[in-house]
Structure formats: C-alpha cells, structure tokens
Amino acid sequence: MIAVNLLTKNPVLTLNGINVFRDQFCAVKNVNLDFEAGELVALSGRNGAGKSSLLLAIAGLTNFTGTLKFKESECHHGHHQPGIGYVPQRANLRWDLPMRAIDVVLTGTAGDHHLAGYKNKSKRVKLAWEALELVEGSHLGDRLLSTLSGGQAQRILIARSLVSKPEVLLLDEPLSGLDAPSSQRILDLLKQRANEGTLIIAAMHELDIVQGHFSRAVLLSGEVIADGAPTQVIPTLYVNPTLSEVTV
Amino acid sequence: METLEATELEKMPVSPVTMSHAKGDSAVILDADGGLGSWSPSIGYLKIADLDSGGTDLSVNPSGTVAAVAGSDGFVLYDLVNEELITEHRGQWSSSVAWNKDGSIVAVAFGKKVKLYTIDGTCIRTAGDFASTVMDLSWLPDQENIAVASFGGVSIMSTVNDVEPMQKEFVGSLLCLAVSPAADWIVSGNQDCSLQVFKIKDSTRLEMQGFPRKVTDAQFDSSGLWLANNGADEVTVWDFKGKGPKGRAPRILPKHVYGGTALAWHPTKAGVIATGDGAGLVRIWDVAKGVPEKPMPPMKRIKSYSSSEVRFILWDSTGNNLVVCHADGVIYQESIV
C-alpha cells in the first residue's frame, strides 16, 4: 500500500480492521484508516472496488466486522449514528414519486429523536428550509422531484443530509451524471462544508477532479491499496494501461 | 521529422466548437454562440448565419449542402447553398446530430430522446426515453441502427423497426462514442476517466480505468484496426487487429500538454493520425511504426500559429491537407505532401 505523509492527530472517524459484507460477500477487507475534521477525502477505484460498501458501513447501513468509531462512540450496523450524514447515489433513487423537494429534505430529520413528534413539526420544517438555503436551493423547495435537473436533485439530497448538521458527510458519486457547471457548484459546496470543519468522504470516479479539488485520496480494490495526497496517489493508477475484460 | 509552413492564417471572432466538411475544399464551422461560418483556403473565414442556438454539435450532409446544428436551445437545419433556414425546433437541449451515409436522414439527440428528420425538416420518428440526456449518437454502418450514449450505457436502436434497443450496460456517464467501421465494436469515453469497449455481437466488455482525465474523444481509423483516445498527457492507440485489444499494450503518443484535445485519423491511410494538444501543438503520427508501451516519436510536426488549445483538426478528402482550428479562433491549412 502507498501511504503518503498522513499523520492524523485528532481523528473524528477511526476504522480498525474493518471488513465490509454485502450479503455473504466480503466487499472490502482489513481497512485501517483515520480521518480528521475538515478533510475532503475521495474514495476511488474501479466499479466493484468497495467504495460504496465502505460508505454504507460507515453510515451503519451494511454489515461489517472490526471497530468503527465516530469520535468516542463505537458504530454498529443498523444503528444510525447522529453526526454522520449519508447521500446515496442519485441514480438509485425514485425521482418520479409525487413529492416536493422540501418533503425529501424533511425526511433527513427522521433519525433525530430530538426532533420527533408533532410539537416539533415547525422546527423540523424550519431546519429543512435552512438546509435548502445552505445548498442555494430555497427556490426549489416547492418543486416536484420529477421536474428537477440532475444537479438540482443532487443539491436536494445533500440538503437532506445537512438537516441533522452532520460532522461527517458521506457521499456516493455525488457528481455522476452532472454537467460541468452543476459539478462545480456541488464541489464548491463540499469545499465550503470542509472548510467549516465537516469531514467529507465521497466515492469518486472523476480522477481529474479528485486531483484538482480533494485533500486526500484513498484507492480501493477490495482493500486499501493507496492513501495520500491525490497528486501523488492518483497517477499510480495510470501505469501500463491495458484493456481488461469485465466480468459481470 | 520535418516542419511544414502554413498556407493560410485566419482568425474567427468567436471560439469554435466543431467543424465539418462542406462542398469542395471548404469547411463549415460552428462557434460557441451558435454562429455558423464557412472556411476555405481561398476565401478564408466567412460568417454565414447567426443561429442563436448555443452550439454543441454540427453535422453536414455528405453533399455538403445542409448543416444540422445542435445547441443548448434546440436543433436547426440550415441550407448552406441558399443560406436559409430549413427548420428549427427550439426549447430543449440538443447535444448531438449525425447524418446517415446517403444524407437522407439526420438523427438528433433531443434531451432523453432521439428524433429523425428528413432533409426537408420533416420529423419522421421519435424514439427512446433514455435514462439521461443523450450525450452522443452514431449511425452504425448498416445505416439502419443508431448507437446512443446516455447514463447507464450504450443503446443500439433500430430506425426502421419498433424493437427494444440492444443494451450495452455500463454504470456511468458516457461522453463520446465510436463505432468500428465493420460494426463489431462500440467504444465509449466516460466521465469516470475510463474507456469502455463493447463487442456488439456478444456481451464482451473491456475497460481501461484510471485515465488521469475524462475520456472525451475516441475514434477508429478508416481500417478499423486502430482506436485512439485522449484522457492523459499521451494519446493512447489500441490495436484492434484479430481478436481485439484485450490484454495488448497500446501505442503511446507522448507529450500532449493538457492532453490530446483534437484527434483526426487520415481519411485513407490506416494508422496515420493527426493530434492536437492544449498548448496548440499539432503532430502527425504513423502508429504502425510504434512499439507497444514505448512512447513513439511523431512522423511530422506542424508549425503552430497559436498557443491556445487545438479545438479541431480536419483532413481534406485527399488526405494531403489539414485544417487546424484553435480555441482562440485561429484557423489555418497545412499541406502535408
């Protein structure tokens, strides 16, 4: 494994000996990583490398073994960890449901028991609109999902994850299918959140963007094969190019 | 290696988007404002029309008389001989246009759909409801099927029958398409910095992941034996002889500053390609003379008249001349004899 000058002092997230399982299959094994607040981290690697699986494990949404700590709290499969937000792949969601954008953002408050109950409804709505404001999406709140562009939909998903004011934000391919201006807008938003202290971890295919905008890259191929500054780690992928057969 | 002298030098007022052959030795150029212009060695650049469509793609019919123009505000058919509009369809993003071989039908990507128009502007078919905006389309050599690139892979749709399109799945956003002349391979360049290679007759898929940049251009040469793509500081050329490129190391055309921004295979000589880069350099290579994996030297280097990105290179039909178009609007022709 390539590791480049990474000394993590006060990790907000610690992964020790993590093996992630999808059904019975071990998608990624023996992951040992520390992440600090304010880092903008890209998980890269080809399809099936384990990027999405690792994000799901950190979010508590798939089975794993090993020790995963958010600050001092140990995380477990099936238990939502307050403070960790997760943005799934946009393409995996149903966008034809008859819901408004603000309704989607509101579902981001569902896991917070402090906001549960009828008497907190106005507070939840206020937080949802504030989250929309953070992604410059206030004007989209009353729009039906089916009328949103790809970039607008992505901002709605990010707003949903920001409602709970997470210290760790996980995103699965946030730029997939977006045009250049929409991508830039999402990147600016992520950088702004990182500058304000949020740990951002995103599964990313766009290696040029990783090199240009991210502070750290972790390369996966069933396990961690490299970890470090993107400008040093990413070029190791482009060595002896060959076309290999993909087995589905 | 020899250095050649430019025979013409002209500067367009607006940055060019793409260029296509027209009648005789002239070319038609689409600019970023949706303006249509012509260029020829004898006359230079002349603005023809302001289509105000936000140009994204251009295709001129084989006889060079009608331009199909795609843009952010729709699609336009323009008569280049009489210099008049044939038809326009506004209000929707159109990313790609392509005439069939005999020039009877033009395929137009309209949002998530593909529409077919006759040369007089009549829409004869609307097909598809693809997963995302269609990014590129290309006629197959049989002139009955079209390969369509959108999120999730390539669809091969019939233009004559109402049958389900054949799917070549790949989870990702496709940026460009290339179909081999024998219609045995389809290749896509992708936003995830990969090249995907699909065999049309079966489910074989090859891929190269890990290009440092997005792969925005991939092209087969006239023989179908070579495929070139950008995505790195070198242009990569894959050998499709025999059973295909699986496991074979590619030819490497090195030292493209900011990547290969323009690729153009010679119209008749297999394996001869002109490439341009982000620093305005244009070189000609004979890839058959290269050795797999080893960076090879160019056959010729073109004298550059601009240090801005090479936006487009066009060979004339004889293969004796090259028209080079830079992002800053500088355009000139080189004799390659």
Side-chain angles (χ1 to χ4, degrees), chain A residues 45-47 89 91 175-178 183 205-209 211 234 237-238 240-246 248, chain B residues 151 170-171 173 191-193 197 204-212 214 232 234 236 238 245-247 250 293:
Chain A
R46 63 176 57 197
N47 289 328
Q89 283 186 37
L175 307 185
S176 185
L178 302 187
S183 295
H205 273 301
E206 299 83 356
L207 302 180
D208 51 343
I209 291 175
Q211 289 192 82
I234 297 296
L237 281 173
Y238 188 65
N240 301 328
T242 48
L243 283 162
S244 49
E245 188 159 354
V246 181
V248 180
Chain B
F151 184 87
F170 161 65
V171 182
S173 295
Q191 184 164 290
D192 68 356
C193 306
V197 178
T204 302
R205 173 159 71 94
L206 312 176
E207 73 173 4
M208 163 64 206
Q209 292 260 5
F211 284 100
K214 295 177 183 65
E234 52 203 38
T236 317
W238 304 92
K246 179 182 167 185
E293 269 185 290

Short mmCIF file of all heavy atoms in Angstrom, two decimals, chain A residues 45-47 89 91 175-178 183 205-209 211 234 237-238 240-246 248, chain B residues 151 170-171 173 191-193 197 204-212 214 232 234 236 238 245-247 250 293:
data_model
loop_
_atom_site.label_atom_id
_atom_site.label_comp_id
_atom_site.label_asym_id
_atom_site.label_seq_id
_atom_site.Cartn_x
_atom_site.Cartn_y
_atom_site.Cartn_z
N GLY A 45 -11.43 4.10 -7.18
CA GLY A 45 -11.19 2.71 -7.57
C GLY A 45 -12.28 2.30 -8.54
O GLY A 45 -13.31 2.95 -8.63
N ARG A 46 -12.04 1.22 -9.27
CA ARG A 46 -12.98 0.84 -10.32
C ARG A 46 -14.30 0.35 -9.72
O ARG A 46 -14.41 0.15 -8.51
CB ARG A 46 -12.37 -0.22 -11.22
CG ARG A 46 -12.04 -1.51 -10.53
CD ARG A 46 -11.53 -2.52 -11.52
NE ARG A 46 -10.35 -2.02 -12.24
CZ ARG A 46 -9.92 -2.55 -13.38
NH1 ARG A 46 -10.59 -3.53 -13.94
NH2 ARG A 46 -8.85 -2.08 -13.96
N ASN A 47 -15.29 0.15 -10.58
CA ASN A 47 -16.57 -0.37 -10.12
C ASN A 47 -16.33 -1.71 -9.41
O ASN A 47 -15.60 -2.56 -9.90
CB ASN A 47 -17.51 -0.60 -11.31
CG ASN A 47 -18.00 0.70 -11.90
OD1 ASN A 47 -18.16 1.68 -11.18
ND2 ASN A 47 -18.21 0.72 -13.20
N GLN A 89 -26.37 7.32 -3.97
CA GLN A 89 -26.27 7.62 -5.40
C GLN A 89 -27.63 8.08 -5.91
O GLN A 89 -28.63 7.43 -5.69
CB GLN A 89 -25.85 6.37 -6.18
CG GLN A 89 -24.38 6.05 -6.08
CD GLN A 89 -23.98 4.89 -6.98
OE1 GLN A 89 -24.49 4.77 -8.09
NE2 GLN A 89 -23.07 4.06 -6.51
N ALA A 91 -28.78 8.08 -8.86
CA ALA A 91 -29.39 7.22 -9.87
C ALA A 91 -30.15 6.05 -9.25
O ALA A 91 -30.98 5.42 -9.90
CB ALA A 91 -28.31 6.69 -10.82
N LEU A 175 -21.10 13.48 -8.18
CA LEU A 175 -21.03 14.24 -9.45
C LEU A 175 -21.46 13.40 -10.65
O LEU A 175 -21.46 13.90 -11.78
CB LEU A 175 -19.61 14.74 -9.68
CG LEU A 175 -18.98 15.54 -8.55
CD1 LEU A 175 -17.62 16.07 -8.98
CD2 LEU A 175 -19.88 16.69 -8.12
N SER A 176 -21.85 12.17 -10.40
CA SER A 176 -22.18 11.28 -11.51
C SER A 176 -23.36 11.83 -12.31
O SER A 176 -24.41 12.14 -11.77
CB SER A 176 -22.52 9.90 -10.96
OG SER A 176 -22.73 9.02 -12.01
N GLY A 177 -23.16 11.95 -13.60
CA GLY A 177 -24.24 12.39 -14.49
C GLY A 177 -24.47 13.88 -14.52
O GLY A 177 -25.41 14.34 -15.17
N LEU A 178 -23.63 14.66 -13.85
CA LEU A 178 -23.83 16.11 -13.82
C LEU A 178 -22.97 16.79 -14.87
O LEU A 178 -21.87 16.35 -15.17
CB LEU A 178 -23.49 16.68 -12.44
CG LEU A 178 -24.25 16.12 -11.24
CD1 LEU A 178 -23.91 16.91 -9.99
CD2 LEU A 178 -25.75 16.16 -11.51
N SER A 183 -21.51 20.29 -11.54
CA SER A 183 -20.44 19.64 -10.77
C SER A 183 -19.67 20.67 -9.96
O SER A 183 -19.35 20.46 -8.79
CB SER A 183 -19.47 18.91 -11.71
OG SER A 183 -20.12 17.85 -12.35
N HIS A 205 -15.37 8.82 -9.05
CA HIS A 205 -14.77 8.24 -10.26
C HIS A 205 -13.94 9.27 -11.01
O HIS A 205 -13.04 8.91 -11.76
CB HIS A 205 -15.86 7.74 -11.20
CG HIS A 205 -16.31 6.35 -10.91
ND1 HIS A 205 -15.47 5.28 -10.92
CD2 HIS A 205 -17.53 5.86 -10.60
CE1 HIS A 205 -16.14 4.18 -10.65
NE2 HIS A 205 -17.40 4.51 -10.44
N GLU A 206 -14.27 10.54 -10.83
CA GLU A 206 -13.66 11.58 -11.66
C GLU A 206 -12.28 11.93 -11.12
O GLU A 206 -12.12 12.82 -10.28
CB GLU A 206 -14.57 12.82 -11.68
CG GLU A 206 -15.95 12.57 -12.27
CD GLU A 206 -16.96 11.98 -11.30
OE1 GLU A 206 -16.57 11.67 -10.15
OE2 GLU A 206 -18.12 11.82 -11.68
N LEU A 207 -11.27 11.23 -11.61
CA LEU A 207 -9.93 11.34 -11.03
C LEU A 207 -9.31 12.71 -11.24
O LEU A 207 -8.51 13.18 -10.43
CB LEU A 207 -9.02 10.26 -11.63
CG LEU A 207 -9.52 8.82 -11.44
CD1 LEU A 207 -8.55 7.83 -12.07
CD2 LEU A 207 -9.69 8.50 -9.97
N ASP A 208 -9.66 13.35 -12.36
CA ASP A 208 -9.13 14.70 -12.58
C ASP A 208 -9.66 15.66 -11.53
O ASP A 208 -8.93 16.53 -11.03
CB ASP A 208 -9.46 15.20 -13.99
CG ASP A 208 -10.94 15.07 -14.34
OD1 ASP A 208 -11.66 14.32 -13.65
OD2 ASP A 208 -11.36 15.70 -15.31
N ILE A 209 -10.90 15.51 -11.16
CA ILE A 209 -11.50 16.37 -10.14
C ILE A 209 -10.90 16.05 -8.77
O ILE A 209 -10.64 16.95 -7.97
CB ILE A 209 -13.03 16.22 -10.14
CG1 ILE A 209 -13.59 16.83 -11.43
CG2 ILE A 209 -13.66 16.86 -8.91
CD1 ILE A 209 -15.07 16.64 -11.63
N GLN A 211 -7.90 15.06 -8.18
CA GLN A 211 -6.57 15.68 -8.12
C GLN A 211 -6.66 17.20 -7.97
O GLN A 211 -5.81 17.80 -7.32
CB GLN A 211 -5.78 15.36 -9.39
CG GLN A 211 -5.35 13.91 -9.46
CD GLN A 211 -4.34 13.68 -10.57
OE1 GLN A 211 -3.16 13.92 -10.40
NE2 GLN A 211 -4.83 13.22 -11.70
N ILE A 234 -3.07 9.34 -7.26
CA ILE A 234 -3.86 9.06 -8.48
C ILE A 234 -3.00 8.63 -9.66
O ILE A 234 -3.36 7.69 -10.38
CB ILE A 234 -4.73 10.29 -8.85
CG1 ILE A 234 -5.75 10.58 -7.74
CG2 ILE A 234 -5.44 10.08 -10.18
CD1 ILE A 234 -6.78 9.51 -7.51
N LEU A 237 -2.42 4.99 -10.71
CA LEU A 237 -3.42 4.18 -11.42
C LEU A 237 -3.10 4.05 -12.90
O LEU A 237 -3.48 3.08 -13.55
CB LEU A 237 -4.81 4.83 -11.28
CG LEU A 237 -5.55 4.63 -9.98
CD1 LEU A 237 -6.80 5.48 -9.97
CD2 LEU A 237 -5.93 3.17 -9.79
N TYR A 238 -2.47 5.08 -13.46
CA TYR A 238 -2.24 5.10 -14.90
C TYR A 238 -0.82 4.62 -15.21
O TYR A 238 0.04 5.37 -15.59
CB TYR A 238 -2.46 6.51 -15.44
CG TYR A 238 -2.42 6.56 -16.95
CD1 TYR A 238 -3.36 5.90 -17.72
CD2 TYR A 238 -1.42 7.25 -17.61
CE1 TYR A 238 -3.31 5.93 -19.09
CE2 TYR A 238 -1.35 7.30 -18.99
CZ TYR A 238 -2.30 6.63 -19.73
OH TYR A 238 -2.24 6.66 -21.10
N ASN A 240 1.15 1.33 -17.18
CA ASN A 240 0.95 0.19 -18.07
C ASN A 240 -0.52 -0.01 -18.44
O ASN A 240 -1.14 -1.02 -18.07
CB ASN A 240 1.49 -1.11 -17.44
CG ASN A 240 2.95 -1.00 -17.13
OD1 ASN A 240 3.69 -0.32 -17.84
ND2 ASN A 240 3.37 -1.63 -16.05
N PRO A 241 -1.12 0.96 -19.14
CA PRO A 241 -2.54 0.83 -19.47
C PRO A 241 -2.84 -0.42 -20.31
O PRO A 241 -2.10 -0.73 -21.23
CB PRO A 241 -2.83 2.11 -20.28
CG PRO A 241 -1.51 2.60 -20.75
CD PRO A 241 -0.51 2.15 -19.72
N THR A 242 -3.88 -1.12 -19.94
CA THR A 242 -4.35 -2.26 -20.73
C THR A 242 -5.87 -2.32 -20.65
O THR A 242 -6.47 -1.86 -19.69
CB THR A 242 -3.82 -3.61 -20.20
OG1 THR A 242 -4.03 -3.66 -18.80
CG2 THR A 242 -2.37 -3.85 -20.53
N LEU A 243 -6.47 -2.90 -21.66
CA LEU A 243 -7.91 -3.13 -21.66
C LEU A 243 -8.15 -4.54 -21.11
O LEU A 243 -7.70 -5.52 -21.69
CB LEU A 243 -8.47 -3.02 -23.07
CG LEU A 243 -8.64 -1.59 -23.61
CD1 LEU A 243 -8.77 -1.60 -25.11
CD2 LEU A 243 -9.84 -0.91 -22.97
N SER A 244 -8.83 -4.61 -20.00
CA SER A 244 -9.09 -5.92 -19.41
C SER A 244 -10.58 -6.23 -19.48
O SER A 244 -11.42 -5.32 -19.48
CB SER A 244 -8.60 -5.96 -17.97
OG SER A 244 -9.07 -4.83 -17.27
N GLU A 245 -10.91 -7.51 -19.53
CA GLU A 245 -12.31 -7.91 -19.67
C GLU A 245 -13.04 -7.74 -18.35
O GLU A 245 -12.52 -8.04 -17.28
CB GLU A 245 -12.40 -9.36 -20.14
CG GLU A 245 -13.82 -9.76 -20.48
CD GLU A 245 -13.88 -10.97 -21.41
OE1 GLU A 245 -12.81 -11.42 -21.87
OE2 GLU A 245 -14.99 -11.44 -21.68
N VAL A 246 -14.26 -7.24 -18.46
CA VAL A 246 -15.09 -7.05 -17.28
C VAL A 246 -16.03 -8.24 -17.17
O VAL A 246 -16.75 -8.55 -18.11
CB VAL A 246 -15.93 -5.75 -17.39
CG1 VAL A 246 -16.77 -5.56 -16.14
CG2 VAL A 246 -15.01 -4.56 -17.61
N VAL A 248 -19.29 -9.56 -15.49
CA VAL A 248 -20.45 -9.05 -14.76
C VAL A 248 -21.01 -10.17 -13.89
O VAL A 248 -21.27 -11.25 -14.37
CB VAL A 248 -21.53 -8.54 -15.73
CG1 VAL A 248 -22.73 -8.02 -14.96
CG2 VAL A 248 -20.94 -7.46 -16.61
N PHE B 151 -26.53 7.98 -19.74
CA PHE B 151 -26.14 7.38 -18.47
C PHE B 151 -26.59 5.92 -18.44
O PHE B 151 -27.73 5.62 -18.76
CB PHE B 151 -26.77 8.14 -17.29
CG PHE B 151 -26.31 7.62 -15.96
CD1 PHE B 151 -25.16 8.12 -15.37
CD2 PHE B 151 -27.00 6.62 -15.31
CE1 PHE B 151 -24.72 7.63 -14.16
CE2 PHE B 151 -26.57 6.12 -14.09
CZ PHE B 151 -25.43 6.63 -13.51
N PHE B 170 -23.25 -0.08 -18.84
CA PHE B 170 -22.10 0.38 -18.07
C PHE B 170 -22.62 1.47 -17.13
O PHE B 170 -23.20 2.46 -17.58
CB PHE B 170 -21.02 0.95 -19.00
CG PHE B 170 -20.04 1.82 -18.28
CD1 PHE B 170 -19.20 1.28 -17.32
CD2 PHE B 170 -19.95 3.17 -18.55
CE1 PHE B 170 -18.31 2.10 -16.64
CE2 PHE B 170 -19.06 3.99 -17.88
CZ PHE B 170 -18.23 3.45 -16.92
N VAL B 171 -22.44 1.27 -15.84
CA VAL B 171 -22.97 2.22 -14.87
C VAL B 171 -22.04 3.43 -14.81
O VAL B 171 -20.99 3.39 -14.18
CB VAL B 171 -23.11 1.58 -13.47
CG1 VAL B 171 -23.70 2.59 -12.50
CG2 VAL B 171 -23.98 0.36 -13.55
N SER B 173 -21.53 7.80 -16.64
CA SER B 173 -21.93 8.81 -17.62
C SER B 173 -21.02 8.75 -18.83
O SER B 173 -19.80 8.89 -18.69
CB SER B 173 -21.87 10.20 -16.99
OG SER B 173 -22.80 10.30 -15.95
N GLN B 191 -17.10 9.82 -18.21
CA GLN B 191 -16.81 10.83 -17.20
C GLN B 191 -15.96 10.28 -16.05
O GLN B 191 -15.26 11.02 -15.39
CB GLN B 191 -18.13 11.37 -16.63
CG GLN B 191 -17.95 12.49 -15.64
CD GLN B 191 -19.23 13.25 -15.40
OE1 GLN B 191 -19.71 13.96 -16.25
NE2 GLN B 191 -19.79 13.09 -14.22
N ASP B 192 -16.01 8.97 -15.83
CA ASP B 192 -15.24 8.39 -14.72
C ASP B 192 -13.79 8.13 -15.14
O ASP B 192 -13.09 7.36 -14.49
CB ASP B 192 -15.89 7.12 -14.20
CG ASP B 192 -15.83 5.98 -15.21
OD1 ASP B 192 -15.36 6.20 -16.33
OD2 ASP B 192 -16.27 4.87 -14.87
N CYS B 193 -13.35 8.77 -16.21
CA CYS B 193 -11.97 8.65 -16.69
C CYS B 193 -11.67 7.22 -17.15
O CYS B 193 -10.55 6.72 -16.95
CB CYS B 193 -10.97 9.09 -15.62
SG CYS B 193 -11.26 10.74 -14.97
N VAL B 197 -15.12 -0.68 -23.86
CA VAL B 197 -15.12 -1.27 -25.21
C VAL B 197 -16.12 -2.43 -25.22
O VAL B 197 -15.97 -3.39 -24.47
CB VAL B 197 -13.71 -1.77 -25.57
CG1 VAL B 197 -13.72 -2.42 -26.95
CG2 VAL B 197 -12.70 -0.63 -25.53
N THR B 204 -19.29 -9.31 -24.39
CA THR B 204 -17.92 -8.96 -24.00
C THR B 204 -17.79 -7.46 -23.77
O THR B 204 -18.22 -6.65 -24.59
CB THR B 204 -16.93 -9.39 -25.11
OG1 THR B 204 -17.05 -10.78 -25.31
CG2 THR B 204 -15.50 -9.04 -24.73
N ARG B 205 -17.22 -7.11 -22.63
CA ARG B 205 -16.91 -5.70 -22.36
C ARG B 205 -15.49 -5.62 -21.82
O ARG B 205 -15.13 -6.33 -20.90
CB ARG B 205 -17.88 -5.10 -21.34
CG ARG B 205 -17.49 -3.68 -20.90
CD ARG B 205 -18.66 -2.91 -20.32
NE ARG B 205 -19.10 -3.37 -19.04
CZ ARG B 205 -18.68 -2.86 -17.87
NH1 ARG B 205 -17.78 -1.90 -17.84
NH2 ARG B 205 -19.17 -3.33 -16.72
N LEU B 206 -14.71 -4.74 -22.43
CA LEU B 206 -13.35 -4.47 -21.95
C LEU B 206 -13.33 -3.07 -21.39
O LEU B 206 -14.09 -2.20 -21.82
CB LEU B 206 -12.33 -4.58 -23.09
CG LEU B 206 -12.40 -5.81 -24.00
CD1 LEU B 206 -11.37 -5.68 -25.13
CD2 LEU B 206 -12.16 -7.07 -23.21
N GLU B 207 -12.44 -2.83 -20.44
CA GLU B 207 -12.34 -1.47 -19.92
C GLU B 207 -10.92 -1.13 -19.53
O GLU B 207 -10.12 -2.00 -19.20
CB GLU B 207 -13.27 -1.25 -18.73
CG GLU B 207 -12.83 -1.91 -17.45
CD GLU B 207 -13.68 -1.52 -16.25
OE1 GLU B 207 -14.68 -0.80 -16.42
OE2 GLU B 207 -13.33 -1.96 -15.14
N MET B 208 -10.61 0.15 -19.62
CA MET B 208 -9.38 0.68 -19.07
C MET B 208 -9.80 1.80 -18.12
O MET B 208 -10.35 2.82 -18.53
CB MET B 208 -8.50 1.23 -20.21
CG MET B 208 -7.38 2.18 -19.78
SD MET B 208 -6.14 1.45 -18.71
CE MET B 208 -5.55 2.90 -17.84
N GLN B 209 -9.61 1.55 -16.82
CA GLN B 209 -9.92 2.56 -15.81
C GLN B 209 -8.63 3.28 -15.44
O GLN B 209 -7.55 2.73 -15.57
CB GLN B 209 -10.48 1.87 -14.55
CG GLN B 209 -11.82 1.23 -14.73
CD GLN B 209 -12.95 2.08 -14.20
OE1 GLN B 209 -12.72 3.21 -13.77
NE2 GLN B 209 -14.16 1.55 -14.24
N GLY B 210 -8.77 4.49 -14.96
CA GLY B 210 -7.62 5.16 -14.37
C GLY B 210 -6.94 6.19 -15.25
O GLY B 210 -5.82 6.61 -14.93
N PHE B 211 -7.59 6.60 -16.36
CA PHE B 211 -7.00 7.72 -17.10
C PHE B 211 -7.00 8.94 -16.19
O PHE B 211 -7.94 9.13 -15.40
CB PHE B 211 -7.82 8.03 -18.36
CG PHE B 211 -7.58 7.05 -19.48
CD1 PHE B 211 -8.48 6.03 -19.73
CD2 PHE B 211 -6.45 7.14 -20.27
CE1 PHE B 211 -8.27 5.11 -20.73
CE2 PHE B 211 -6.23 6.23 -21.29
CZ PHE B 211 -7.14 5.21 -21.52
N PRO B 212 -5.99 9.79 -16.27
CA PRO B 212 -5.95 10.95 -15.37
C PRO B 212 -7.05 11.97 -15.66
O PRO B 212 -7.36 12.79 -14.81
CB PRO B 212 -4.58 11.57 -15.64
CG PRO B 212 -3.79 10.52 -16.32
CD PRO B 212 -4.77 9.66 -17.06
N LYS B 214 -10.94 12.89 -17.98
CA LYS B 214 -12.10 12.31 -18.64
C LYS B 214 -11.73 11.94 -20.08
O LYS B 214 -10.98 12.68 -20.73
CB LYS B 214 -13.26 13.31 -18.68
CG LYS B 214 -13.81 13.67 -17.33
CD LYS B 214 -14.90 14.72 -17.48
CE LYS B 214 -15.43 15.14 -16.13
NZ LYS B 214 -14.43 15.85 -15.31
N ALA B 232 -5.24 11.48 -21.17
CA ALA B 232 -3.96 11.55 -20.46
C ALA B 232 -3.07 12.56 -21.18
O ALA B 232 -3.46 13.14 -22.18
CB ALA B 232 -3.30 10.19 -20.41
N GLU B 234 -0.76 11.69 -22.81
CA GLU B 234 -0.41 10.98 -24.02
C GLU B 234 -1.71 10.51 -24.68
O GLU B 234 -2.71 10.30 -23.98
CB GLU B 234 0.48 9.78 -23.69
CG GLU B 234 -0.10 8.90 -22.63
CD GLU B 234 0.97 8.06 -21.90
OE1 GLU B 234 2.07 8.57 -21.65
OE2 GLU B 234 0.66 6.93 -21.58
N THR B 236 -3.57 7.52 -26.42
CA THR B 236 -3.41 6.08 -26.36
C THR B 236 -4.03 5.47 -27.62
O THR B 236 -5.15 5.82 -27.99
CB THR B 236 -4.15 5.52 -25.12
OG1 THR B 236 -3.88 6.38 -24.02
CG2 THR B 236 -3.72 4.13 -24.79
N TRP B 238 -5.04 1.89 -29.46
CA TRP B 238 -5.24 0.45 -29.19
C TRP B 238 -5.29 -0.33 -30.50
O TRP B 238 -5.86 0.12 -31.49
CB TRP B 238 -6.54 0.24 -28.42
CG TRP B 238 -6.60 1.04 -27.16
CD1 TRP B 238 -7.13 2.28 -27.01
CD2 TRP B 238 -6.08 0.67 -25.88
NE1 TRP B 238 -6.98 2.71 -25.71
CE2 TRP B 238 -6.34 1.74 -24.99
CE3 TRP B 238 -5.42 -0.46 -25.38
CZ2 TRP B 238 -5.96 1.72 -23.64
CZ3 TRP B 238 -5.06 -0.49 -24.05
CH2 TRP B 238 -5.33 0.58 -23.19
N PRO B 245 -8.37 -5.88 -28.73
CA PRO B 245 -7.27 -5.27 -27.98
C PRO B 245 -7.05 -5.84 -26.57
O PRO B 245 -6.18 -5.38 -25.86
CB PRO B 245 -7.73 -3.82 -27.87
CG PRO B 245 -9.22 -3.92 -27.81
CD PRO B 245 -9.60 -5.10 -28.66
N LYS B 246 -7.84 -6.85 -26.19
CA LYS B 246 -7.75 -7.34 -24.81
C LYS B 246 -6.32 -7.77 -24.46
O LYS B 246 -5.71 -8.58 -25.15
CB LYS B 246 -8.69 -8.54 -24.64
CG LYS B 246 -8.66 -9.14 -23.25
CD LYS B 246 -9.58 -10.34 -23.19
CE LYS B 246 -9.34 -11.14 -21.92
NZ LYS B 246 -10.12 -12.37 -21.91
N GLY B 247 -5.83 -7.18 -23.38
CA GLY B 247 -4.52 -7.57 -22.87
C GLY B 247 -3.33 -7.02 -23.63
O GLY B 247 -2.19 -7.21 -23.23
N PRO B 250 -1.00 -0.70 -25.45
CA PRO B 250 -1.28 0.23 -26.55
C PRO B 250 -0.02 0.93 -27.06
O PRO B 250 1.02 0.91 -26.41
CB PRO B 250 -2.20 1.25 -25.87
CG PRO B 250 -1.76 1.25 -24.44
CD PRO B 250 -1.30 -0.15 -24.14
N GLU B 293 3.62 0.06 -25.78
CA GLU B 293 4.08 0.58 -24.48
C GLU B 293 5.14 1.67 -24.57
O GLU B 293 5.24 2.50 -23.68
CB GLU B 293 4.62 -0.54 -23.59
CG GLU B 293 3.56 -1.15 -22.71
CD GLU B 293 4.14 -2.17 -21.76
OE1 GLU B 293 4.56 -3.25 -22.25
OE2 GLU B 293 4.18 -1.89 -20.56
#
